[in-house]
Amino acid sequence: MQVQVFMGNAGEGKTNKLQAVQDRLGFVGESAPIIQAGAYGEEGLLQILEVRAAGGQREILVDDCSRQQILKVLEWQSCVEHLPDFDGLVVHLARKD
């Protein structure tokens, strides 16, 4: 499991780096399933990440993360990275301004 944190100015709700990941995943011209972190508390965000990972999603994009949400995801990573359900999982977090 890998967690990448992007910082910078948001443009149209997504950082340029998050947009580049979306393009690389093949969602050019359409929306990738991006989680809007502002809709969740820290625990709620972890729950949706677990649901997406259990459903087989290997790259998860999360926009507008607070500092606390990012810290919680990094803490969660250290707790679950040894579990096979999270092998090959990459979580891309875009920090809000």
Side-chain angles (χ1 to χ4, degrees), residues 18 25 33 35 48-50 52-53 57-62 76 89-93:
L18 194 59
L25 293 176
I35 297 169
I48 193 74
L49 291 174
E50 288 181 356
R52 294 256 183 118
Q57 193 170 344
R58 296 293 78 180
E59 292 208 47
I60 302 173
L61 311 177
V62 186
W76 170 73
L89 178 64
V90 181
V91 179
H92 305 276
L93 305 173

Side-chain angles (χ1 to χ4, degrees), residues 12-76:
E12 298 177 7
K14 296 173 246 177
T15 65
N16 291 337
K17 289 184 181 179
L18 194 59
Q19 182 64 52
V21 171
Q22 187 177 19
D23 294 347
R24 181 178 55 78
L25 293 176
F27 291 99
V28 178
E30 59 183 274
S31 294
I34 296 176
I35 297 169
Q36 296 299 319
Y40 301 95
E42 295 162 21
E43 294 300 322
L45 180 58
L46 296 182
Q47 289 174 354
I48 193 74
L49 291 174
E50 288 181 356
V51 166
R52 294 256 183 118
Q57 193 170 344
R58 296 293 78 180
E59 292 208 47
I60 302 173
L61 311 177
V62 186
D63 194 20
D64 206 28
C65 296
S66 70
R67 181 178 183 275
Q68 286 303 110
Q69 285 172 318
I70 292 169
L71 292 173
K72 198 69 161 174
V73 170
L74 293 172
E75 181 182 312
W76 170 73

